[in-house]
Amino acid sequence: MEQVIAKKYARALFNAAKENGNIEKYYDELKGILNMLKNKQIYKIITNRGIYLKQKMNFVDAILEGYDREVINFLKLIISKHRESIFDEIFNEYNKLYMDYKGIINAILISAHPLDSDTLERIKNRLESNFNKKVYINSTVDESILGGLKILIGNKVIDGSIKGKLDTLLKNLVTAS
């Protein structure tokens, strides 16, 4: 339910940003707000229901001085609807829209051993060619895959790991029995 709500808020702000030509600016400002909300004192003030709404709105105006008025009003709307606890989800949804708009995808590359920069660059180029988008790779090491690579892009998994192949083989053997 919260993800559906987060998507609606993110899409509304993204559409407004698109109309105003401020997609990048709103993205940067939302990222700034997300970082501010990681401060426990700020988060406590914004989420505390014992503090009057007017006081919270004044606080928001003070900490977001210099931010775009639309972004400030967006945060105030979230606070007035008691949705501040899902701000990170709203940001994540806005981020997805932003990345799609910019033609960027994030990939998580899992290998059994650290990969050198040349190998990472070749994989990145291959993914960019296949997806026709700019690819950012976050490389991690997981020795349990034994060898090969596993790539996660959104909800798509490209499993070329030895562990994945062994699991598939075992599944096929069990099914054939």
Side-chain angles (χ1 to χ4, degrees):
M1 175 76 171
E2 288 179 348
Q3 190 174 8
V4 172
I5 294 167
K7 278 184 180 183
K8 286 181 182 181
Y9 278 99
R11 182 159 303 282
L13 184 63
F14 187 81
N15 289 337
K18 210 152 109 175
E19 282 179 27
N20 300 335
N22 288 325
I23 294 172
E24 190 107 17
K25 181 180 183 183
Y26 287 12
Y27 174 79
D28 291 339
E29 291 186 359
L30 288 176
K31 199 188 246 183
I33 293 169
L34 187 66
N35 287 330
M36 280 184 209
L37 291 177
K38 289 180 181 172
N39 178 309
K40 290 179 182 168
Q41 292 171 326
I42 292 174
Y43 188 77
K44 279 182 183 178
I45 291 169
I46 288 178
T47 58
N48 187 336
R49 298 230 176 155
I51 297 174
Y52 291 114
L53 190 58
K54 185 166 178 52
Q55 290 174 308
K56 287 184 189 182
M57 298 305 151
N58 291 336
F59 179 72
V60 167
D61 284 331
I63 65 170
L64 298 182
E65 188 177 333
Y67 276 57
D68 189 280
R69 195 81 224 145
E70 188 127 12
V71 173
I72 294 170
N73 289 338
F74 179 74
L75 182 59
K76 287 179 174 183
L77 174 69
I78 290 169
I79 293 168
S80 70
K81 299 289 185 182
H82 304 291
R83 304 271 191 225
E84 56 271 50
S85 64
I86 64 165
F87 184 82
D88 56 338
E89 290 178 52
I90 294 169
F91 174 78
N92 289 338
E93 292 299 326
Y94 188 95
N95 185 45
K96 288 177 189 175
L97 294 167
Y98 173 80
M99 299 289 263
D100 188 51
Y101 179 80
K102 291 289 213 176
I104 301 169
I105 55 176
N106 286 318
I108 299 170
L109 184 121
I110 303 166
S111 60
H113 305 284
L115 301 174
D116 61 64
S117 59
D118 289 340
T119 304
L120 285 172
E121 189 63 30
R122 284 197 313 270
I123 293 168
K124 178 181 178 260
N125 291 338
R126 184 81 185 263
L127 290 171
E128 287 178 345
S129 172
N130 287 347
F131 287 96
N132 282 335
K133 292 188 176 202
K134 180 142 181 71
V135 175
Y136 291 134
I137 293 181
N138 180 9
S139 181
T140 61
V141 174
D142 180 359
E143 293 174 1
S144 73
I145 68 168
L146 304 175
L149 299 173
K150 189 174 187 178
I151 302 172
L152 309 168
I153 299 174
N155 56 6
K156 184 178 215 155
V157 178
I158 303 166
D159 193 350
S161 68
I162 293 173
K163 183 180 185 314
K165 290 177 182 177
L166 288 172
D167 289 345
T168 302
L169 179 62
L170 181 61
K171 201 181 301 179
N172 290 340
L173 287 172
V174 170
T175 308
S177 300

